[in-house]
């Protein structure tokens, strides 16, 4: 997961636009809408399917906003906002990451399982399972995500 986010933030994720740049694929339509090119920013933020996922998640994010911001900056802004110390939003930061992760899994499922009929609400199931991993038996979050630690790198 950490690796996934690092790749996303640094534009190194193997979406098909990236693969095409490396001449591995020639055509790269978005696996959700089929209209636009599958760039990271489109897939995780601007696609109409993705927008519906963000909007109907517990976070209720309007991912179109702000327009013309690339995915790396957009996720950094949100994580920074959700992880501020004086608020109780760490759980939402984890949910934010979980939603990104589930969009990626849904995308892979759509590409590699040709019989799969796209259902955006499947992401919520994935996110719920993801959140469970961060909770103890009474539902409290186990991990305190601290932005300061991240800036110091992995120890
Ligand atoms: Zn799309």
């Amino acid at each position: 997961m950490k690796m996934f986010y690092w790749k996303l933030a640094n534009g190194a994720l193997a979406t098909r636009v990236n693969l095409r740049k490396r001449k591995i694929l020639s055509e790269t339509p978005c696996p959700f809408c089929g209209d636009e090119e599958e760039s990271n920013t489109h897939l995780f933020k601007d696609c109409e399917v993705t927008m519906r996922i963000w909007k109907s998640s517990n976070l209720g994010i309007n991912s179109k906003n702000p327009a013309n911001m690339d995915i790396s900056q957009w996720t950094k802004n949100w994580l920074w906002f959700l992880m501020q110390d004086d608020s109780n939003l760490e759980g939402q930061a984890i949910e934010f990451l979980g939603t990104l992760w589930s969009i990626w899994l849904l995308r892979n499922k759509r590409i590699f399982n040709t019989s799969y009929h796209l259902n955006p609400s499947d992401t919520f199931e994935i996110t719920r399972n993801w959140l469970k991993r961060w909770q103890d038996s009474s539902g409290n979050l186990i991990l305190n995500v601290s932005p300061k630690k991240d800036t110091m790198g992995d120890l």
Side-chain angles (χ1 to χ4, degrees):
M1 177 62 203
K2 202 162 223 176
M3 201 61 195
F4 161 75
Y5 181 69
W6 183 89
K7 283 185 178 175
L8 177 63
N10 291 282
L13 207 59
T15 52
R16 288 182 291 180
V17 165
N18 285 346
L19 289 175
R20 196 182 59 174
K21 280 184 199 146
R22 285 148 54 188
K23 303 213 174 0
I24 295 170
L25 283 173
S26 53
E27 302 230 329
T28 58
C30 168
F32 290 162
C33 66
D35 289 338
E36 309 254 343
E37 243 189 11
E38 188 204 33
S39 66
N40 285 356
T41 303
H42 176 80
L43 180 72
F44 289 100
K45 176 180 176 293
D46 290 337
C47 180
E48 55 179 282
V49 176
T50 310
M51 280 171 59
R52 272 193 300 174
I53 292 171
W54 283 115
K55 197 151 234 168
S56 38
S57 75
N58 289 332
L59 300 164
I61 288 174
N62 177 1
S63 62
K64 200 78 179 174
N65 212 1
N68 304 321
M69 179 177 279
D70 80 61
I71 190 64
S72 149
Q73 191 59 46
W74 188 75
T75 55
K76 276 176 201 161
N77 286 359
W78 269 107
L79 285 174
W80 179 83
F81 171 71
L82 293 173
M83 286 173 27
Q84 293 187 66
D85 274 350
D86 57 347
S87 60
N88 193 22
L89 298 172
E90 288 98 343
Q92 292 187 30
I94 292 172
E95 176 134 13
F96 182 84
L97 287 171
T99 303
L100 284 172
W101 177 239
S102 62
I103 290 169
W104 180 243
L105 292 188
L106 192 73
R107 172 262 186 203
N108 289 338
K109 193 170 177 178
R110 175 77 172 146
I111 289 176
F112 299 115
N113 181 354
T114 45
S115 62
Y116 172 66
H117 185 77
L118 182 67
N119 182 0
S121 61
D122 285 349
T123 52
F124 304 122
E125 177 70 24
I126 301 170
T127 306
R128 264 198 302 279
N129 288 331
W130 155 260
L131 287 171
K132 272 187 210 148
R133 284 201 253 158
W134 298 89
Q135 289 168 344
D136 62 20
S137 52
S138 48
N140 296 314
L141 287 172
I142 296 165
L143 188 89
N144 283 321
V145 183
S146 158
K148 282 176 195 148
K149 253 182 217 157
D150 269 10
T151 59
M152 289 169 67
D154 292 341
L155 296 174

